[in-house]
Amino acid sequence: MVESSPIETVSPLKGLDAQIHYGSDFRLVALPHRTRINLRGDGGSQFGEAVSAVTGLALPTVPNTTKLADDYSAELIWLGPDEWLFRCQDGWRSKRATNWVASLRSALVGAHSAVVDVSDYHIELELSGLQVLRVMRKLTPLDLCAAIADPRHCAQTRFANASVLLTCRPADDDTEAVATEPGVYVIQVRWSFARYLWQHLAEAAREFR
Amino acid sequence: MTHRNRIDGAGRVRRGSAVRFRFDGRQYFGYHGDTLASALLANGVHLVGRSFKYHRPRGISAAGSEDPNALVQLERGPYTQPNTCATQIELYDGLDARSQNRWPSLGFDIGGINAWLARFIPSGFYYKTFMWPVSGWLFYEKFIRRAAGLGVSPREPDPDRYEQLHAHCDVLVVGAGPAGLGAALAAGRCGARVIIMDEQSEFGGSVLGRQVDIDGNSGIEWVRRTRESLGSMSNVQCVPRCTVTGYYDYNFLTALERVTDHLGPGADDRLPRQRFWKIRARRVVLASGAIERPLLFADNDRPGVMLANAVRTYINRYRVLPGRAICVLTNNDSAYECAWDAHEAGARVTIVDVRDAVPDHLAEKARVAGIEIHTGCGITAVQGRLAVRSVDIRPLSQDGRRVTGVRTRIECSIVANSGGWNPSVHLHSQSRGKLRFDTDLHSFVPAETVAINPSVSVGAACGEFSLSACLVDGHRQGKAAAQAALPAGEYQDAAGRAAATDDAPADAPLKPLWVLPTDHPVGQGPRKHFHDFQNDVTVADIMLAAREGYLSVEHLKRYTTTGMATDQGKTSNVNALAIMAGIRGLDIPAVGTTTFRPPYTPVTFGAIAGQNRDELFLQHRHTPMHTWHVEHGAIFEDVGDWKRPRYFPQAGESMHDAVQRESLATRRSVGVLDASTLGKIDIQGPDAARFLEMIYTNNWLKLGIGKCRYGLMLNEHGMVFDDGVTTRLGEHHYHMTTTTGGAARVMNWLEEWLQTEWPDMQVYCTSVTEQWAVAAINGPQAPALLASLADTDLSDEAFPHMSYREMAVAGIPARVFRISFTGEQAYEINVPARYGLALWQALTEAGRPLDLCVYGTETMHLLRAEKGFIIVGQDTDGTVTPADLGMNWIVSKTKRDYLGKRSQSRSHTAGGGRRQLVGLLTEDRRTLLDEGVHLVARADSAPPVSAEGHVTSSYLSPNVGRPIAMGLVREGLSRYGETLYARTMQGDSIKVRIVKPEFIDADGGAVHG
């Protein structure tokens, strides 16, 4: 319906540099808008099968892990024993957020669950580079090496005063991101904190300018 | 260019790399690798400052962070820093330092008169000025504050940048001397994540200041190779110029890294000046070394009196011989090394040993070198005021308390003083580890640690003073720390062997003598025995404290201020305990020890703040429409972290003008408010209605799909704590709104009840506050405005008040709630955040022909007050029930239960005399009451007057045409028509009438159009 008409969108990062890129040391860029669906349910096999039937991804049941589509365009993230986040590129499998919500709700009919479109709740920032851990360590007390020992781990933590969801994926070829171990990081931060966090990251990366 | 006191050989300074610097305005030069202290000594400058209280001339007395004397004012303007320790300042080109606490000059200081007044200003005089005469302190304070103290703080904002860095490791090694390096190497090889930090510019610790051989090479070469091995391991992080300053529970430690201090102000714009580390370590190895302690003799604070190990360090590390004639005063063997090195460097050396006998190998070596040893003697007097010229020595009695025999004068410019060694137990003590007094070393050494702070002290920090033992101990404990920290599978048994060195003969016992007698009883003549140089505390002060009953160590410390200066008593604490023990005739352990507290050395506030300054200090949360507000001149107010537009002044308008205009326009035509900050919670589940029944005071079971309802939330005490409109979106699906400030609190509240008390309820709550941008349009033209952007039937029948529809507004998918916080026809239009600005622009465009007005929170407040709508947190303060608000209509009488229900019938809540929300009108129709002002019954009663209530909200209402107010008044709901008086701060009484809080549209017809 109306979503097809081009409506001007706004980002909290408006007016800031499009990216911060310091050679192979560090790169920070805001990701384009994604479809993001918050899922609540008991995590049992019925729930898991329904979710995976719709998304094509297995439901991660190991705490702080994710399931990533082969081409990285969709992901299921464990947020809690009864909470997950499904995120995918807009238009993935020709579906928009409203379609995903409808599909998931109908697949989960009868099961106690909640499916909520939170596509605009967070801004997604992608960080990469040889010094990415060093930059992040200026902002978060989390032991990143232990918490995200390899890609497909995730963590909910604090960067400065912002609560964030941190995920990781292997660096791939078609991205401009700098390939590093364990991979490329994505920070999901609330809309109204995105500008504050961006400025913090820019300051933290300053030594690699 | 030559230096008076520089000797041949490279040491650790780069002789090819000269740097210029200024001290007290005079130009000098030094070399890269010098500290300010070593460069001053090389130039023959000993006198560097005046003391805190007596303004005594003071010189450089140590070579490390323990120096209590060598404090200077570094740099100028915004970069200036007081009380920086010259022994820790690495020399850079253009460095500019000045001496402190002197006027007009360092050599001639008026404040020196304090030294003559000393007998009138002993310890505790400061406290006595508080007591007598009673008014005296106010008079004295100005003078005392000016006369005491050291450097001056900059007046300008700090131009430097700082940062915090979090770090995690398996093994943190504090100190990179022989023990620490050995520990780090062993732990690193075993596979542990290791961080090793050292406060000096380069690793090596004591090796840097001594000529020793390790593993068949020079000690310096061993340090270089070890540093290289550490550097090659990816699991090891080496951090020089970094002082571990604090040890907190659960092995959380803080450290200050001086990143660019050694380059000078503003040298590298990319790097922070200092970095504040927050380290979480599984195991801590404390290899912090030991600090030499001085023997206390008469006039021992004269410039030229130095610690013996410092003299040795200046000779070997910096190739600076502080003086050509050196008198070594000692009670132990270690100072003889200083004598040998000074002799080799060309000094004329005399040794004064308070012991009666000297080990044969030392006596023989001295004899060969032609060094005279005076055994059984002590220094009893020092000649020279600004610099040592000579010292007098006399034989001491067997117990060391009295002088005997004849005086001998020794010409010297340096006294190299050693009273033994104190292990640096500061961090161990900070971790709440216990201390034990070692009766061989006559020092406190680490004893048990506490379980939550697993750590170990190694090497000299543990009282192990021989180099070979330090190497072995460090290696062993580094390996053990790695093994303890690592899971079994990750530990590799690859520590290798410890480095080795040829052992020197074992040390002979030291003689536990603390204070050397002089020609007059200590404290009863002109000569002073200083034990805390930085706070100018003498041995006599401790005796005074004991006489006045301050026997406890903690009392002693506070009464005399010993150990309370920026050096934290690194050279004085144990001496103070020993003196008190001597006075009381007790053993030192019986006197006790004080608690060491962070920081080990001073930490700048800037470093603690890190990058959290200016716009990074606190998040400014913006709504998606923010840029529009900025472009249109909004004045913002802080609502929690949010920046909300308070009003939109047009050219020349004051806040009052703008709010009056916005308020009139909204009721006349239509106004739009950015309401994006309202808390929003998505609630789903078969028990959602039952859940809302418990959370809110009113009924929810019969709310139809697509309908909205206002609700009050109470806490367990029955007090109002949030309010908002909740809408039923579907069969088991609700959309709750909360106050802006209450969003997080309400979300936590809901989750707490669901998770802890009602786990049986099938309800899921999801915060969607930031998913939606919200524009609230209010006013008689609101339907026309919405109609111009939405192709939907907006008639009262199709879309009545308190209902909800989904529609496209300006082509944007929207959730529209017909609810009103102004009493006018109103819609809250919710769109996904990314479209918030587009919606706003469409509304303001479409509203132009309707005379649309954009308004802010101030007008929002005014408009709701005209209707008597409450604001939780403004008209309530956590002590207000629904009944107090006259809102019993929203409290269900039929529900079995809801949160806060039982408290409604509590005697205090249900009883009389409660303050209730009423409207207030000033009789003169002109005066605007101040919010918070108290209301009393009579205009003329003299204080104390009991208050009848207070004003919670007050506005000049253009729509009513007079000031209106609301307030909480005792039993106000039954007092409509009565008058009260508002007593202002200016002393006026303003007559007010109590009315129903409903100033406009009393029949409520406006919302329906």
Side-chain angles (χ1 to χ4, degrees), chain B residues 170 282 482-492:
Chain B
D170 298 314
R282 287 200 173 135
Q483 194 159 15
L486 289 171
E490 290 176 32
Y491 173 77
Q492 305 151 24

Side-chain angles (χ1 to χ4, degrees), chain B residues 293-296 419 437 442 512-516 574-575 578-579 588:
Chain B
R293 64 186 177 223
L295 289 170
L296 309 183
F437 193 78
H442 297 276
L513 190 56
W514 311 92
V515 181
L516 303 190
V574 174
N575 279 344
I579 295 162
I588 291 172

Side-chain angles (χ1 to χ4, degrees), chain B residues 499-780:
Chain B
T501 184
D502 293 336
D503 250 334
D507 280 359
L510 66 69
K511 180 167 183 173
L513 190 56
W514 311 92
V515 181
L516 303 190
T518 181
D519 305 327
H520 56 72
V522 173
Q524 292 179 31
R527 297 190 187 117
K528 290 180 180 299
H529 293 66
F530 283 91
H531 82 277
D532 182 323
F533 291 72
Q534 206 178 104
N535 269 354
D536 260 358
V537 190
T538 64
V539 175
D541 290 325
I542 296 180
M543 296 161 89
L544 174 70
R547 281 201 303 279
E548 299 202 341
Y550 297 101
L551 300 174
S552 146
V553 172
E554 299 296 343
H555 287 152
L556 167 70
K557 179 173 172 174
R558 281 152 188 84
Y559 191 69
T560 62
T561 70
T562 183
M564 292 172 74
T566 63
D567 68 334
Q568 293 272 291
K570 290 184 178 61
T571 56
S572 64
N573 280 338
V574 174
N575 279 344
L577 298 175
I579 295 162
M580 182 56 96
I583 293 167
R584 296 178 61 190
L586 298 172
D587 291 336
I588 291 172
V591 173
T593 176
T594 61
T595 310
F596 292 90
R597 294 191 178 83
Y600 176 70
T601 51
V603 178
T604 48
F605 284 118
I608 295 171
Q611 56 277 68
N612 302 300
R613 60 185 281 184
D614 301 325
E615 79 272 18
L616 300 182
F617 176 67
L618 187 67
Q619 60 281 4
H620 292 173
R621 299 174 69 184
H622 296 161
T623 73
M625 294 80 142
H626 186 77
T627 49
W628 191 97
H629 304 330
V630 172
E631 284 161 16
H632 290 78
I635 305 296
F636 292 90
E637 77 167 330
D638 292 336
V639 181
D641 302 332
W642 293 99
K643 294 284 175 196
R644 294 194 72 181
R646 193 172 187 196
Y647 57 99
F648 291 84
Q650 294 180 350
E653 274 188 337
S654 65
M655 171 167 154
H656 171 81
D657 299 338
V659 172
Q660 298 291 300
R661 173 182 50 75
E662 291 171 11
S663 302
L664 277 172
T666 300
R667 289 215 192 279
R668 193 180 58 228
S669 55
V670 58
V672 59
L673 171 81
D674 180 354
S676 305
T677 62
L678 282 185
K680 305 169 204 76
I681 298 168
D682 181 281
I683 300 174
Q684 295 186 39
D687 294 317
R690 193 158 70 89
F691 177 60
L692 293 173
E693 283 274 293
M694 288 301 295
I695 292 293
Y696 283 125
T697 60
N698 48 347
N699 293 304
W700 292 85
L701 296 177
K702 290 180 183 151
L703 184 69
I705 293 172
K707 297 290 182 192
C708 316
R709 185 163 287 174
Y710 174 77
L712 274 186
M713 263 180 222
L714 311 186
N715 59 22
E716 298 100 316
H717 313 296
M719 304 301 157
V720 174
F721 103 105
D722 208 83
D723 68 345
V725 171
T726 292
T727 301
R728 188 171 177 195
L729 302 178
E731 179 65 21
H732 299 308
H733 193 182
Y734 294 81
H735 176 87
M736 174 186 280
T737 62
T738 74
T739 60
T740 295
R745 192 166 56 230
V746 171
M747 186 70 193
N748 288 343
W749 178 248
L750 303 185
E751 281 296 338
E752 183 183 341
W753 284 98
L754 281 174
Q755 291 183 28
T756 65
E757 300 295 331
W758 308 324
D760 57 305
M761 280 199 191
Q762 297 206 328
V763 178
Y764 287 127
C765 300
T766 308
S767 168
V768 290
T769 300
E770 310 228 7
Q771 168 70 18
W772 302 101
V774 183
I777 57 174
N778 285 264

Side-chain angles (χ1 to χ4, degrees), chain A residues 120 137 141 143 192 203, chain B residues 161 168 193 621 770-771 834:
Chain A
D120 290 50
R137 279 172 48 204
D143 185 355
S192 66
E203 175 69 13
Chain B
R161 295 181 315 102
H168 300 260
R193 278 199 291 172
R621 299 174 69 184
E770 310 228 7
Q771 168 70 18
R834 81 197 105 135

Side-chain angles (χ1 to χ4, degrees), chain A residues 1-3 5 7-10 14 33 38 40-42 82-83 90 105 112-121 134 137-146 158 160-162 190-193 195-196 199-200 203-204 206-209, chain B residues 161 163-168 193 237 269-271 275 277 280 611-612 615-624 627 641-642 682 684-686 733 751 762-771 808 811-813 832-835 837-838 841:
Chain A
M1 49 172 219
V2 285
E3 288 177 65
S5 60
I7 305 161
E8 195 190 335
T9 61
V10 64
K14 192 176 163 183
H33 185 269
N38 194 276
R40 300 292 297 270
D42 64 7
D82 62 355
E83 187 167 15
D90 275 355
R105 280 197 185 143
H112 171 41
S113 60
V115 178
V116 183
D117 179 2
V118 290
S119 300
D120 290 50
Y121 193 86
R134 173 86 176 183
R137 279 172 48 204
K138 296 180 186 179
L139 297 176
T140 180
L142 187 72
D143 185 355
L144 294 164
C145 296
R158 189 170 64 76
N161 288 340
R190 276 189 278 175
W191 210 97
S192 66
F193 279 82
R195 193 178 185 86
Y196 162 81
Q199 289 171 330
H200 251 300
E203 175 69 13
R206 187 188 173 104
E207 66 172 300
F208 306 110
R209 205 164 58 178
Chain B
R161 295 181 315 102
E163 72 181 22
Q164 295 179 356
L165 181 67
H166 297 274
H168 300 260
R193 278 199 291 172
Q237 219 180 332
D269 182 42
R270 292 175 309 166
L271 293 173
R275 188 174 283 139
W277 289 68
R280 285 139 180 113
Q611 56 277 68
N612 302 300
E615 79 272 18
L616 300 182
F617 176 67
L618 187 67
Q619 60 281 4
H620 292 173
R621 299 174 69 184
H622 296 161
T623 73
T627 49
D641 302 332
W642 293 99
D682 181 281
Q684 295 186 39
H733 193 182
E751 281 296 338
Q762 297 206 328
V763 178
Y764 287 127
C765 300
T766 308
S767 168
V768 290
T769 300
E770 310 228 7
Q771 168 70 18
I812 306 165
R834 81 197 105 135
Y835 301 130
L837 185 60
Q841 283 164 338

Side-chain angles (χ1 to χ4, degrees), chain A residues 13-68:
Chain A
L13 306 176
K14 192 176 163 183
L16 298 172
D17 294 338
Q19 64 166 3
I20 292 172
H21 196 171
Y22 299 146
S24 59
D25 282 337
F26 185 71
R27 181 169 179 268
L28 167 67
V29 63
L31 291 176
H33 185 269
R34 304 273 158 141
T35 293
R36 313 173 73 261
I37 313 285
N38 194 276
L39 298 170
R40 300 292 297 270
D42 64 7
S45 57
Q46 199 189 342
F47 177 85
E49 280 159 23
V51 170
S52 97
V54 175
T55 62
L57 298 169
L59 192 73
T61 49
V62 176
N64 296 317
T65 61
T66 69
K67 297 287 183 190
L68 195 57

